[in-house]
């Protein structure tokens, strides 16, 4: 999900939301004994046109709900701001610090050495949110702080500063459902050697938070002491451990799981057996065992994990997909076959890491084609073709520490580009997955030089959201049964972006009334709606959209500040009778200065973003409220009239 953009400074934050643009929802069933929703229609919002609108996070959308008794209610939506990442709301060792400040292995806030006043680092990139089901009567939210765009001196700090997550205890108004922050605490990752670029995440069916670590440091390039990867890992290590030599690239690139106990205390594990790649997020299927993953970056793969036991991701079998193209219509389509990469436990993989293993212990390399070596092209090795040969007895190390490379060697497809969010439609047995930018390796190889060319789809820079069809009773590529009823057999385009031949007056290079660069995905079972958040340089303002999977109607329901990415998308159908859509923004003002904007004064726009929010300074955390309850019957005292 991350885009390595730079450009932000700032001050305050004005967050107010609204939703508008057409989206009718079909016959939906949500209930208690005495309530049924027949249909839900999102009435979306127009794209912002003024500087004031382009700076705000806002919505003026509404939702029309038709109940089974024929009554219709209109619910106006609103955006509620919880806090900014720069707000001093987190408590660490008795000190109030900014919510987005990372902590080191000893739990101390990490200082920014470029700060002239001894200030801490403050991430401007809040990302994933999970609003947990109530625990011991309390509501908690876990939030990612993905990375640090720049330091206090304005210099790039991306990937150099340890990342963090926070646990927020929330108070819920029993009448209105309004959420307020009670306290914010930083989550301790010292048991797992810290946290590397946590992108998106999900709530597991057993009420734990499943995080991510994307853009894993390349263990091959790390061996070169002059490489950027070595410098990155050593800088990260110095900040986190106080020792530049302590961090190992194989520490990072997994699925962290955070559990909150009845006393509101967190514990963290990393699931090494789920494989090491650019984890965008992990989404668990209804069997509590099968998991699908996004692998962000260029030349990446699609992975599936089947745990040995329900609600336990500490051991299982890892699979990689081979894509066989079947069409190019509506973004494209293909069948999926799954290659068994191997079985492992977290402990087995962790023991391999702790043995001090390096890339050269797993593979032999060649600079040119050579007998016994396999040519592959993946996100690793800066996207260059590699010639690799697995060393004897290193299958498990390769499968779980060099997952993408090993998958490519075995014939899996590693041509996906910017694979992002994953969501589940349980009733229809479908998984949705976002390809934010369908180009590069997903196009036909015109040079004939790539080792494989499984994907030859149309170039759509604005991206495509795909649906995957799930079935049971399937076998892997070797004919062995896959122990899951939720195996993806095919994928096809569902929501397709549209590139423009030239930028419009607002600097948009993709159709502003269609999704551009889908990233976060979240699905509401009760409303039958797929929510899509953008990470788009093609739209000057990024949006959150509501797509009705039955009527196929798309509605814009949120606009975030110019240059910002819409992150932390999480649809909660029912929390004590209230429904919410969590949504954040990160890196406001990013890359706006390079856009050809003529509809408004670009310099005044940037000035407004800087003054009202702060470019490169902060991000916002909040939620859309006003959604209809799926468990409470509204007041129909106004008879058939629309109303609250």
């Amino acid at each position: 999900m991350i885009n390595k953009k730079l450009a932000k400074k700032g001050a305050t934050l004005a967050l107010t939301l609204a939703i508008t643009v057409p989206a009718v929802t079909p016959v939906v069933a949500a209930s208690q004994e005495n309530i049924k929703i027949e249909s839900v229609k999102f009435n979306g919002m127009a794209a912002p046109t003024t500087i004031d609108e382009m700076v705000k996070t806002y919505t003026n959308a509404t939702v029309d709900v038709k109940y089974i008794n024929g009554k219709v209610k209109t619910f106006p939506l609103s955006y509620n701001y919880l806090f900014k990442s720069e707000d001093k709301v987190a408590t660490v060792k008795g000190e109030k610090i900014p919510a987005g400040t990372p902590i080191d292995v000893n739990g101390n806030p990490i200082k920014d050495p470029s700060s002239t006043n001894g200030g801490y680092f403050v991430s401007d990139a809040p990302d994933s949110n999970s609003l947990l089901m109530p625990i011991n009567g309390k509501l908690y939210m876990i939030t990612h702080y993905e990375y640090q765009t720049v330091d206090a001196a304005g210099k790039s700090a991306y990937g150099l500063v340890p990342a963090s997550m926070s646990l927020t205890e929330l108070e819920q108004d029993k009448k209105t459902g309004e959420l307020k922050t009670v306290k914010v605490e930083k989550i301790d990752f010292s048991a797992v050697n810290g946290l590397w670029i946590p992108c998106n995440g999900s709530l597991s069916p057993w009420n734990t938070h499943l995080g991510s670590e994307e853009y894993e440091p390349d263990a091959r390039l790390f061996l070169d002491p002059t490489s950027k990867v070595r410098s990155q890992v050593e800088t990260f290590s110095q900040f986190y451990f106080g020792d530049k030599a302590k961090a190992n690239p194989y520490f990072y690139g997994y699925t962290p799981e955070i559990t909150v106990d009845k006393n509101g205390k967190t514990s963290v594990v990393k699931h090494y057996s789920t494989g090491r790649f650019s984890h965008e997020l992990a989404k668990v299927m209804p069997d509590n065992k099968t998991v699908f993953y996004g692998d962000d970056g260029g030349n990446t793969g699609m992975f599936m994990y089947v745990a040995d036991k329900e609600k336990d991701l500490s051991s299982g079998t890892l699979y990689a997909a081979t894509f066989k193209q079947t069409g190019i219509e509506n973004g494209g389509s293909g069948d999926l076959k799954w290659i068994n990469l191997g079985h492992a436990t977290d402990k087995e993989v962790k023991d391999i890491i702790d043995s001090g293993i390096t890339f050269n212990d797993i593979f032999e390399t060649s600079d040119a084609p050579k007998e016994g070596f396999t040519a592959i092209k993946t996100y690793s090795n800066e996207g260059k073709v590699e010639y690799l040969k697995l060393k004897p007895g290193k299958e498990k190390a390769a499968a779980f520490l060099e997952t993408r490379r090993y998958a490519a060697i075995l014939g899996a497809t590693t041509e996906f580009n910017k694979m992002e969010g994953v969501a589940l439609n349980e009733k229809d047995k479908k998984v949705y997955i976002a390809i934010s930018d369908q180009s590069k390796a997903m196009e036909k190889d015109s040079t004939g030089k790539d080792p494989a060319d499984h994907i030859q789809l149309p170039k759509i820079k604005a991206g495509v959201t795909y649906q995957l069809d799930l079935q049971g009773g399937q076998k892997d590529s070797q004919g062995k049964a896959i122990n899951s009823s939720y195996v993806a057999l095919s994928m096809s385009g569902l929501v397709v972006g549209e590139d423009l031949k030239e930028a419009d007056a607002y600097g948009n290079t993709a159709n502003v009334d269609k999704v551009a660069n889908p990233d976060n995905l979240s699905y509401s079972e009760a409303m039958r709606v797929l929510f899509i958040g953008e990470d788009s340089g093609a739209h000057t303002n990024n949006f959150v959209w509501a797509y009705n999977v039955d009527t196929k109607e798309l509605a814009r329901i949120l606009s975030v500040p110019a240059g910002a990415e819409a992150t932390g998308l999480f649809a909660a159908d029912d929390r004590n009778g209230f429904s919410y859509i969590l949504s954040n923004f990160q890196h406001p003002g990013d890359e706006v200065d390079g856009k050809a904007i003529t509809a408004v004064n670009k310099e005044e726009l940037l000035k407004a973003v800087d003054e009202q929010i702060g470019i490169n300074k902060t991000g916002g955390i909040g939620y859309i409220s006003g959604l209809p309850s799926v468990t409470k019957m509204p007041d129909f005292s106004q008879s058939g009239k629309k109303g609250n």
Side-chain angles (χ1 to χ4, degrees):
M1 145 159 268
I2 172 139
N3 22 15
K4 305 170 186 176
K5 311 172 180 174
L6 324 178
K8 322 171 185 126
K9 297 177 196 146
T12 61
L13 171 55
L15 288 167
T16 344
L17 274 255
I19 311 183
T20 349
V21 178
V24 183
T25 312
V27 181
V28 171
S31 71
Q32 208 183 24
E33 295 129 321
N34 63 338
I35 179 173
K36 284 198 181 291
I37 294 175
E38 182 177 307
S39 64
V40 178
K41 175 184 177 180
F42 277 87
N43 305 300
M45 61 189 282
T49 57
T50 66
I51 287 178
D52 180 58
E53 290 174 335
M54 293 174 76
V55 171
K56 293 191 300 184
T57 301
Y58 74 101
T59 180
N60 46 40
T62 62
V63 183
D64 291 345
V65 180
K66 183 178 181 181
Y67 294 88
I68 202 166
N69 63 0
K71 306 291 186 180
V72 176
K73 287 282 185 180
T74 297
F75 296 84
L77 301 179
S78 62
Y79 187 79
N80 296 269
Y81 156 66
L82 290 169
F83 53 85
K84 303 186 300 290
S85 58
E86 68 178 353
D87 288 347
K88 292 185 177 181
V89 294
T91 303
V92 171
K93 296 186 174 181
E95 178 186 3
K96 287 289 187 182
I97 67 168
T101 293
I103 58 176
D104 66 17
V105 69
N106 298 310
N108 298 313
I110 301 177
K111 289 188 175 182
D112 181 347
S114 72
S115 171
T116 57
N117 60 4
Y120 300 132
F121 282 115
V122 181
S123 170
D124 62 324
D127 205 296
S128 172
N129 295 311
S130 277
L131 183 60
L132 278 65
M133 299 299 289
I135 297 173
N136 202 19
K138 294 182 178 181
L139 277 182
Y140 296 96
M141 175 181 71
I142 290 176
T143 302
H144 291 186
Y145 302 90
E146 187 177 2
Y147 59 95
Q148 183 87 27
T149 301
V150 294
D151 62 18
K155 202 174 169 184
S156 174
Y158 173 76
L160 302 176
V161 182
S164 68
M165 297 186 194
S166 64
L167 176 72
T168 302
E169 182 183 330
L170 297 166
E171 180 180 271
Q172 184 183 48
D173 187 291
K174 293 182 179 179
K175 292 184 178 179
T176 66
E178 180 184 359
L179 300 175
K180 290 186 178 179
T181 301
V182 176
K183 64 179 179 180
V184 180
E185 296 177 338
K186 302 301 292 189
I187 297 175
D188 179 13
F189 280 81
S190 61
V192 292
N193 295 307
L195 180 65
W196 185 276
I197 309 180
C199 196
N200 207 341
S202 70
L203 183 66
S204 76
W206 51 94
N207 207 33
T208 61
H209 175 75
L210 298 175
S212 59
E213 291 183 305
E214 72 172 2
Y215 299 128
E216 77 286 3
D218 190 332
R220 177 178 184 175
L221 298 182
F222 175 81
L223 296 177
D224 176 0
T226 66
S227 70
K228 289 183 180 179
V229 173
R230 173 66 73 89
S231 176
Q232 183 184 31
V233 173
E234 288 183 344
T235 303
F236 178 103
S237 186
Q238 184 65 47
F239 280 130
Y240 191 72
F241 295 109
D243 178 356
K244 74 174 187 178
K246 180 112 186 230
N248 178 334
Y250 287 139
F251 286 171
Y252 311 108
Y254 306 98
T255 301
E257 182 173 13
I258 295 86
T259 300
V260 181
D261 70 16
K262 64 179 182 180
N263 298 313
K265 301 301 179 185
T266 57
S267 57
V268 180
V269 296
K270 278 186 185 177
H271 290 305
Y272 302 101
S273 63
T274 62
R276 180 175 177 269
F277 46 91
S278 187
H279 282 267
E280 173 77 16
L281 67 79
K283 186 63 181 177
V284 183
M285 299 298 100
D287 62 357
N288 294 322
K289 296 194 308 179
T290 307
V291 190
F292 287 94
Y293 302 93
D295 183 15
D296 200 354
N299 280 97
T300 58
M302 182 183 294
F303 299 98
M304 176 179 69
Y305 180 82
V306 181
D308 294 337
K309 299 177 182 177
E310 291 187 25
K311 304 181 182 181
D312 180 358
L313 304 184
S314 65
S315 67
T317 304
L318 186 61
Y319 298 85
T322 299
F323 178 90
K324 183 179 180 182
Q325 191 164 311
T326 56
I328 61 172
E329 299 77 18
N330 198 43
S333 59
D335 293 331
L336 301 171
K337 193 72 177 176
W338 295 93
I339 296 173
N340 186 327
L341 302 183
H343 176 278
T345 67
D346 287 348
K347 184 180 185 308
E348 286 175 330
V349 181
K350 183 64 162 52
D351 286 346
I352 295 172
I353 297 168
D354 291 343
S355 73
I357 196 169
T358 69
F359 175 87
N360 286 345
D361 295 324
I362 302 173
F363 295 111
E364 292 182 49
T365 64
S366 174
D367 294 331
K370 188 176 179 181
E371 187 177 351
F373 288 71
T374 303
I376 64 168
K377 186 177 182 181
T378 71
Y379 178 71
S380 307
N381 200 40
E382 299 177 337
K384 299 172 186 173
V385 174
E386 298 179 280
Y387 303 93
L388 303 181
K389 182 179 180 181
L390 185 66
K391 291 189 173 180
K394 297 300 181 183
E395 289 82 5
K396 187 159 289 191
F400 296 94
L401 301 184
E402 294 289 349
T403 305
R404 195 186 303 108
R405 281 179 165 121
Y406 187 58
I409 288 173
L410 295 183
T413 300
T414 54
E415 298 164 35
F416 294 99
N417 189 63
K418 295 300 294 174
M419 183 187 293
E420 305 273 2
V422 185
L424 166 70
N425 173 343
E426 182 174 351
K427 180 182 177 183
D428 297 341
K429 289 193 78 168
K430 293 183 185 297
V431 157
Y432 304 110
I433 194 158
I435 297 294
S436 187
D437 176 354
Q438 186 161 290
S439 65
K440 301 177 182 177
M442 294 188 73
E443 300 174 70
K444 180 178 174 59
D445 172 27
S446 60
T447 69
K449 295 180 180 179
D450 287 349
D453 196 20
H454 300 169
I455 305 179
Q456 301 178 19
L457 292 175
K459 180 179 182 178
I460 307 173
K461 293 289 292 179
V464 180
T465 300
Y466 282 87
Q467 65 180 11
L468 281 61
D469 297 312
L470 310 176
Q471 284 188 25
Q474 301 305 305
K475 296 181 179 180
D476 65 23
S477 59
Q478 299 298 314
K480 295 180 181 177
I482 300 175
N483 187 24
S484 169
S485 298
Y486 294 89
V487 178
L489 295 185
S490 62
M491 61 186 290
S492 56
L494 182 69
V495 181
V496 183
E498 180 185 339
D499 300 324
L500 300 178
K501 291 182 179 179
E502 57 184 27
D504 67 15
Y506 287 91
N508 299 303
T509 58
N511 187 334
V512 76
D513 291 323
K514 295 185 178 182
V515 178
N517 306 121
D519 192 316
N520 282 201
L521 301 179
S522 190
Y523 182 74
S524 167
E525 289 283 346
M527 291 188 282
R528 301 277 296 166
V529 171
L530 175 65
F531 296 99
I532 305 172
E534 296 181 338
D535 174 11
S536 180
H539 282 170
T540 298
N541 286 87
N542 278 199
F543 309 118
V544 174
W545 302 82
Y547 176 79
N548 188 298
V549 299
D550 296 305
T551 66
K552 314 300 182 188
E553 295 189 81
L554 183 67
R556 182 189 292 109
I557 63 170
L558 177 66
S559 177
V560 300
E565 174 187 344
T567 61
L569 184 61
F570 182 94
D573 279 342
D574 183 13
R575 295 297 183 271
N576 296 322
F578 295 97
S579 302
Y580 308 92
I581 302 171
L582 303 182
S583 187
N584 303 336
F585 72 80
Q586 62 176 227
H587 58 68
D590 200 12
E591 296 186 342
V592 173
D593 57 346
K595 288 183 173 290
I597 298 174
T598 59
V600 298
N601 186 296
K602 185 169 68 175
E603 286 67 33
E604 290 184 9
L605 172 62
L606 281 167
K607 182 181 178 183
V609 173
D610 198 19
E611 289 179 350
Q612 295 184 41
I613 307 172
I615 299 173
N616 275 1
K617 288 279 188 178
T618 192
I621 295 96
Y623 64 97
I624 299 171
S625 66
L627 293 161
S629 171
V630 299
T631 58
K632 294 181 179 179
M633 178 68 80
D635 178 10
F636 292 117
S637 58
Q638 295 187 38
S639 192
K641 296 180 181 179
K642 291 186 177 183
N644 296 343

